[in-house]
Amino acid sequence: MTSSPFIFQLGAVRGQIFTDGVGVSAPEVSAARYPDHVEQMRAEIGEAPVHGSRNVLLLDAGEERILIDTGEGKFNAVADGLLIPALRDHGVDLGSITTVILTHFHMDHIGGLLTEEGTPTFPNARLIAARPEYDHWLSEATLAALPADRAAFIRSTFAAYERVELVTPPAEVLPGIKLIPAYGHSPGQCAVLIESQGERLLHIADSWHIPAQLNLPEARIKFDAVPEQAIASRRALMERAEQENLLTLGYHFEFPGLGHVRRAGNRRVWIIK
Ligand SMILES: [Zn+2]
Protein backbone atom coordinates (compact mmCIF):
# COMPACT_ATOMS: atom_id res chain seq x y z
CA MET A 1 0.00 0.00 0.00
CA THR A 2 1.28 3.46 -0.87
CA SER A 3 1.47 6.14 1.80
CA SER A 4 -1.60 8.14 2.75
CA PRO A 5 -2.10 11.73 1.66
CA PHE A 6 -1.95 14.67 4.04
CA ILE A 7 -5.46 16.17 4.05
CA PHE A 8 -6.34 19.78 4.88
CA GLN A 9 -9.00 22.38 4.25
CA LEU A 10 -8.41 25.84 2.73
CA GLY A 11 -11.69 27.74 2.94
CA ALA A 12 -14.08 25.79 0.74
CA VAL A 13 -11.28 23.87 -0.98
CA ARG A 14 -10.21 20.44 0.16
CA GLY A 15 -6.50 19.80 -0.26
CA GLN A 16 -4.63 16.52 -0.32
CA ILE A 17 -0.88 16.23 -0.61
CA PHE A 18 0.51 13.00 -2.02
CA THR A 19 4.16 12.10 -2.11
CA ASP A 20 5.67 10.82 -5.33
CA GLY A 21 8.66 9.57 -3.37
CA VAL A 22 10.86 10.56 -0.46
CA GLY A 23 14.60 10.65 0.04
CA VAL A 24 17.15 11.41 2.74
CA SER A 25 20.54 13.04 2.15
CA ALA A 26 23.49 13.51 4.45
CA PRO A 27 24.06 17.24 5.21
CA GLU A 28 27.27 17.38 3.18
CA VAL A 29 25.58 15.75 0.19
CA SER A 30 22.71 18.23 0.33
CA ALA A 31 25.06 21.22 0.72
CA ALA A 32 27.11 20.09 -2.28
CA ARG A 33 24.10 20.83 -4.52
CA TYR A 34 24.75 24.56 -3.99
CA PRO A 35 28.09 24.92 -5.78
CA ASP A 36 28.70 28.61 -4.95
CA HIS A 37 27.79 28.31 -1.25
CA VAL A 38 28.74 24.81 -0.12
CA GLU A 39 30.22 25.85 3.24
CA GLN A 40 27.46 28.35 4.06
CA MET A 41 24.75 25.85 3.16
CA ARG A 42 26.53 23.22 5.23
CA ALA A 43 26.28 25.61 8.21
CA GLU A 44 22.61 26.42 7.52
CA ILE A 45 21.67 22.75 7.22
CA GLY A 46 23.37 21.72 10.45
CA GLU A 47 23.92 18.11 11.44
CA ALA A 48 20.55 16.48 10.79
CA PRO A 49 19.94 14.50 7.60
CA VAL A 50 17.90 16.40 5.01
CA HIS A 51 14.55 14.84 4.16
CA GLY A 52 13.07 15.53 0.76
CA SER A 53 9.93 14.58 -1.11
CA ARG A 54 7.98 15.32 -4.25
CA ASN A 55 4.81 16.81 -2.82
CA VAL A 56 1.95 16.72 -5.28
CA LEU A 57 -1.09 18.81 -4.39
CA LEU A 58 -4.61 17.72 -5.29
CA LEU A 59 -7.41 20.26 -4.85
CA ASP A 60 -11.14 19.66 -4.84
CA ALA A 61 -12.76 23.00 -5.58
CA GLY A 62 -16.41 22.78 -6.55
CA GLU A 63 -16.66 21.01 -9.89
CA GLU A 64 -12.92 21.14 -10.44
CA ARG A 65 -10.45 18.52 -9.33
CA ILE A 66 -7.02 20.03 -9.84
CA LEU A 67 -3.60 18.41 -9.65
CA ILE A 68 -0.51 20.61 -9.39
CA ASP A 69 2.37 18.76 -11.07
CA THR A 70 2.52 15.02 -11.57
CA GLY A 71 5.71 13.54 -10.12
CA GLU A 72 8.28 11.61 -12.15
CA GLY A 73 6.06 8.93 -13.64
CA LYS A 74 8.03 6.44 -15.68
CA PHE A 75 11.25 8.41 -15.13
CA ASN A 76 11.17 7.16 -11.55
CA ALA A 77 13.17 4.08 -10.62
CA VAL A 78 9.85 2.63 -9.44
CA ALA A 79 7.59 1.78 -12.36
CA ASP A 80 4.88 4.46 -12.75
CA GLY A 81 6.47 6.55 -10.01
CA LEU A 82 4.72 6.59 -6.68
CA LEU A 83 2.09 9.24 -7.27
CA ILE A 84 -0.09 7.35 -9.73
CA PRO A 85 -0.44 4.19 -7.62
CA ALA A 86 -0.98 6.38 -4.52
CA LEU A 87 -3.85 8.23 -6.20
CA ARG A 88 -5.41 4.91 -7.21
CA ASP A 89 -4.88 3.34 -3.79
CA HIS A 90 -6.55 6.27 -2.05
CA GLY A 91 -9.67 6.45 -4.16
CA VAL A 92 -8.78 9.11 -6.71
CA ASP A 93 -10.07 8.07 -10.13
CA LEU A 94 -7.50 9.37 -12.61
CA GLY A 95 -10.36 10.19 -14.97
CA SER A 96 -11.91 12.49 -12.38
CA ILE A 97 -9.09 15.03 -12.58
CA THR A 98 -10.32 17.99 -14.61
CA THR A 99 -7.20 20.15 -14.65
CA VAL A 100 -3.47 19.64 -14.27
CA ILE A 101 -1.50 22.81 -13.54
CA LEU A 102 2.20 22.52 -14.39
CA THR A 103 4.61 24.74 -12.45
CA HIS A 104 7.45 23.90 -14.83
CA PHE A 105 8.54 21.19 -17.21
CA HIS A 106 11.30 19.35 -15.33
CA MET A 107 10.78 15.60 -15.43
CA ASP A 108 10.06 15.29 -11.70
CA HIS A 109 7.03 17.55 -12.32
CA ILE A 110 5.70 16.43 -15.70
CA GLY A 111 6.89 12.79 -15.87
CA GLY A 112 3.54 11.49 -14.59
CA LEU A 113 1.51 12.93 -17.46
CA LEU A 114 1.83 9.89 -19.72
CA THR A 115 1.22 6.21 -19.12
CA GLU A 116 3.73 3.55 -20.11
CA GLU A 117 1.77 3.24 -23.37
CA GLY A 118 2.15 6.95 -24.07
CA THR A 119 -1.48 7.88 -23.49
CA PRO A 120 -2.62 10.61 -21.07
CA THR A 121 -2.55 9.43 -17.44
CA PHE A 122 -5.38 11.87 -16.77
CA PRO A 123 -7.59 11.28 -19.82
CA ASN A 124 -10.15 14.00 -19.09
CA ALA A 125 -7.81 16.71 -17.90
CA ARG A 126 -6.77 19.89 -19.58
CA LEU A 127 -3.25 21.12 -18.95
CA ILE A 128 -2.55 24.66 -17.81
CA ALA A 129 0.95 26.06 -18.08
CA ALA A 130 2.79 29.34 -18.48
CA ARG A 131 3.48 30.33 -22.07
CA PRO A 132 7.13 31.26 -21.38
CA GLU A 133 7.76 27.77 -19.98
CA TYR A 134 6.03 26.09 -22.91
CA ASP A 135 7.81 28.26 -25.48
CA HIS A 136 11.18 27.47 -23.93
CA TRP A 137 10.82 23.69 -23.69
CA LEU A 138 8.94 23.18 -26.95
CA SER A 139 11.43 25.20 -28.98
CA GLU A 140 13.43 23.15 -31.46
CA ALA A 141 16.68 24.51 -30.01
CA THR A 142 15.84 23.28 -26.49
CA LEU A 143 14.55 19.91 -27.68
CA ALA A 144 17.65 19.34 -29.82
CA ALA A 145 19.88 19.88 -26.76
CA LEU A 146 17.99 17.43 -24.54
CA PRO A 147 18.62 13.69 -24.17
CA ALA A 148 16.53 11.96 -26.83
CA ASP A 149 14.14 10.25 -24.41
CA ARG A 150 13.32 13.51 -22.64
CA ALA A 151 12.80 15.40 -25.88
CA ALA A 152 10.54 12.63 -27.15
CA PHE A 153 8.60 12.64 -23.90
CA ILE A 154 8.00 16.40 -24.02
CA ARG A 155 6.90 16.31 -27.66
CA SER A 156 4.53 13.39 -27.16
CA THR A 157 3.08 14.72 -23.89
CA PHE A 158 1.90 17.97 -25.34
CA ALA A 159 0.63 16.20 -28.44
CA ALA A 160 -1.27 13.61 -26.36
CA TYR A 161 -3.37 16.09 -24.37
CA GLU A 162 -6.07 17.67 -26.48
CA ARG A 163 -6.47 20.71 -24.31
CA VAL A 164 -3.36 22.68 -23.37
CA GLU A 165 -4.10 26.17 -22.12
CA LEU A 166 -1.17 28.56 -22.07
CA VAL A 167 -1.33 31.71 -20.01
CA THR A 168 0.95 34.68 -19.50
CA PRO A 169 1.53 35.07 -15.75
CA PRO A 170 0.47 36.59 -13.49
CA ALA A 171 -2.87 35.08 -14.45
CA GLU A 172 -5.94 33.76 -12.66
CA VAL A 173 -6.37 30.36 -14.30
CA LEU A 174 -9.38 29.18 -12.28
CA PRO A 175 -11.47 31.03 -9.71
CA GLY A 176 -9.12 31.78 -6.80
CA ILE A 177 -6.09 30.12 -8.42
CA LYS A 178 -3.31 32.28 -9.83
CA LEU A 179 -0.06 31.48 -11.60
CA ILE A 180 2.66 33.84 -10.38
CA PRO A 181 5.97 34.24 -12.23
CA ALA A 182 8.83 32.54 -10.37
CA TYR A 183 11.16 32.44 -13.34
CA GLY A 184 14.74 31.28 -13.16
CA HIS A 185 14.80 27.76 -11.73
CA SER A 186 13.33 26.92 -15.10
CA PRO A 187 12.93 29.80 -17.58
CA GLY A 188 9.15 29.98 -17.14
CA GLN A 189 8.59 28.39 -13.74
CA CYS A 190 5.54 29.64 -11.85
CA ALA A 191 4.38 29.54 -8.27
CA VAL A 192 0.68 29.03 -7.59
CA LEU A 193 -1.41 31.12 -5.20
CA ILE A 194 -4.66 29.50 -4.09
CA GLU A 195 -7.33 31.48 -2.26
CA SER A 196 -10.68 30.41 -0.85
CA GLN A 197 -12.88 32.29 1.58
CA GLY A 198 -10.00 34.52 2.63
CA GLU A 199 -7.59 31.65 3.27
CA ARG A 200 -4.51 31.46 1.10
CA LEU A 201 -1.84 28.93 0.18
CA LEU A 202 1.36 29.70 -1.73
CA HIS A 203 2.78 26.75 -3.68
CA ILE A 204 6.39 27.75 -4.37
CA ALA A 205 7.19 24.86 -6.74
CA ASP A 206 11.03 24.69 -6.87
CA SER A 207 11.71 28.34 -6.01
CA TRP A 208 13.70 26.89 -3.18
CA HIS A 209 14.27 23.23 -2.42
CA ILE A 210 14.87 23.05 1.32
CA PRO A 211 13.99 25.36 4.23
CA ALA A 212 17.72 25.79 4.99
CA GLN A 213 17.86 28.20 2.03
CA LEU A 214 15.63 30.72 3.84
CA ASN A 215 18.58 32.66 5.25
CA LEU A 216 20.73 32.20 2.15
CA PRO A 217 18.46 33.02 -0.81
CA GLU A 218 21.51 33.83 -2.91
CA ALA A 219 22.54 30.15 -2.80
CA ARG A 220 21.65 28.69 -6.16
CA ILE A 221 20.98 25.03 -6.50
CA LYS A 222 22.83 23.50 -9.43
CA PHE A 223 19.51 22.89 -11.20
CA ASP A 224 18.66 26.62 -11.43
CA ALA A 225 18.67 27.38 -15.16
CA VAL A 226 18.98 31.17 -14.97
CA PRO A 227 20.67 31.69 -11.59
CA GLU A 228 20.34 35.48 -11.17
CA GLN A 229 16.67 35.38 -12.08
CA ALA A 230 16.09 32.38 -9.82
CA ILE A 231 17.67 34.26 -6.91
CA ALA A 232 15.49 37.33 -7.50
CA SER A 233 12.34 35.18 -7.73
CA ARG A 234 13.30 33.27 -4.59
CA ARG A 235 13.92 36.47 -2.60
CA ALA A 236 10.59 37.95 -3.70
CA LEU A 237 8.59 34.84 -2.81
CA MET A 238 10.32 34.39 0.55
CA GLU A 239 9.52 38.01 1.40
CA ARG A 240 5.94 37.63 0.33
CA ALA A 241 5.44 34.38 2.27
CA GLU A 242 6.85 36.03 5.38
CA GLN A 243 5.17 39.42 5.13
CA GLU A 244 1.74 38.08 4.21
CA ASN A 245 2.01 35.14 6.62
CA LEU A 246 1.04 32.74 3.84
CA LEU A 247 0.59 29.05 4.33
CA THR A 248 3.38 27.80 2.07
CA LEU A 249 4.02 24.53 0.27
CA GLY A 250 7.47 23.43 -0.94
CA TYR A 251 7.36 20.75 -3.63
CA HIS A 252 10.65 19.23 -2.47
CA PHE A 253 10.39 19.87 1.28
CA GLU A 254 10.00 17.01 3.72
CA PHE A 255 6.50 15.54 3.27
CA PRO A 256 3.95 17.07 3.33
CA GLY A 257 5.90 20.31 2.83
CA LEU A 258 3.43 22.73 4.43
CA GLY A 259 4.39 25.50 6.81
CA HIS A 260 5.00 29.20 7.36
CA VAL A 261 8.01 31.43 6.87
CA ARG A 262 8.39 33.44 10.06
CA ARG A 263 10.95 35.87 11.43
CA ALA A 264 12.89 35.26 14.63
CA GLY A 265 15.22 38.19 15.30
CA ASN A 266 17.33 38.71 12.20
CA ARG A 267 16.71 35.25 10.83
CA ARG A 268 13.90 33.50 9.02
CA VAL A 269 12.57 30.21 10.37
CA TRP A 270 10.39 27.53 8.82
CA ILE A 271 7.48 26.56 11.03
CA ILE A 272 5.94 23.25 9.98
CA LYS A 273 2.15 23.30 9.86
ZN1 LIG B 1 11.62 19.61 -8.88
Side-chain angles (χ1 to χ4, degrees):
M1 189 72 171
T2 48
S3 49
S4 298
F6 178 90
I7 299 172
F8 65 102
Q9 196 71 28
L10 187 83
V13 174
R14 181 174 191 256
Q16 298 184 72
I17 301 170
F18 289 85
T19 183
D20 182 57
V22 298
V24 185
S25 305
E28 59 274 19
V29 172
S30 186
R33 294 178 185 139
Y34 301 82
D36 304 332
H37 295 84
V38 176
E39 289 310 312
Q40 294 99 317
M41 278 303 292
R42 182 73 184 79
E44 290 290 336
I45 290 168
E47 297 309 317
V50 178
H51 291 254
S53 174
R54 291 184 295 279
N55 299 313
V56 178
L57 178 60
L58 178 69
L59 300 169
D60 280 297
E63 302 285 292
E64 290 276 356
R65 178 167 257 189
I66 305 144
L67 197 64
I68 301 184
D69 291 339
T70 67
E72 288 186 329
K74 65 176 181 174
F75 292 89
N76 194 297
V78 179
D80 247 7
L82 294 178
L83 173 72
I84 308 306
L87 290 170
R88 286 204 190 98
D89 284 353
H90 296 280
V92 179
D93 173 5
L94 301 179
S96 70
I97 291 174
T98 57
T99 301
V100 179
I101 294 174
L102 301 170
T103 64
H104 63 297
F105 293 3
H106 289 170
M107 284 300 143
D108 55 322
H109 297 256
I110 67 169
L113 283 170
L114 292 186
T115 65
E116 204 63 53
E117 294 73 42
T119 58
T121 307
F122 311 103
N124 300 314
R126 64 178 156 162
L127 307 184
I128 295 180
R131 181 173 291 283
E133 184 70 354
Y134 183 92
D135 286 349
H136 170 75
W137 288 101
L138 275 292
S139 79
E140 288 305 321
T142 304
L143 290 166
L146 286 176
D149 64 331
R150 284 184 59 191
F153 181 84
I154 289 174
R155 283 185 205 278
S156 48
T157 296
F158 290 97
Y161 281 83
E162 275 175 26
R163 290 180 299 160
V164 180
E165 293 180 15
L166 301 176
V167 300
T168 302
E172 185 165 26
V173 295
L174 287 168
I177 302 184
K178 291 193 186 93
L179 283 193
I180 297 171
Y183 302 158
H185 171 65
S186 180
Q189 176 185 250
C190 286
V192 187
L193 185 66
I194 302 135
E195 180 163 5
S196 177
Q197 298 178 342
E199 294 186 41
R200 294 191 294 166
L201 167 63
L202 176 66
H203 184 312
I204 64 164
D206 288 10
S207 298
W208 63 103
H209 285 68
I210 55 175
Q213 282 172 274
L214 278 175
N215 292 294
L216 209 59
E218 65 272 34
R220 69 171 177 96
I221 198 164
K222 61 185 175 184
F223 315 113
D224 284 345
V226 192
E228 290 309 314
Q229 198 179 29
I231 291 165
S233 296
R234 183 156 52 244
R235 284 186 191 281
L237 276 186
M238 285 178 177
E239 256 164 51
R240 184 164 185 190
E242 180 193 329
Q243 287 170 4
E244 299 180 27
N245 191 29
L246 294 171
L247 180 62
T248 299
L249 171 63
Y251 186 79
H252 288 294
F253 292 7
E254 181 172 6
F255 180 81
L258 275 184
H260 287 89
V261 176
R262 295 258 161 79
R263 186 151 287 273
N266 63 356
R267 288 181 58 81
R268 288 190 176 118
V269 289
W270 176 244
I271 307 294
I272 293 169
K273 178 184 161 74

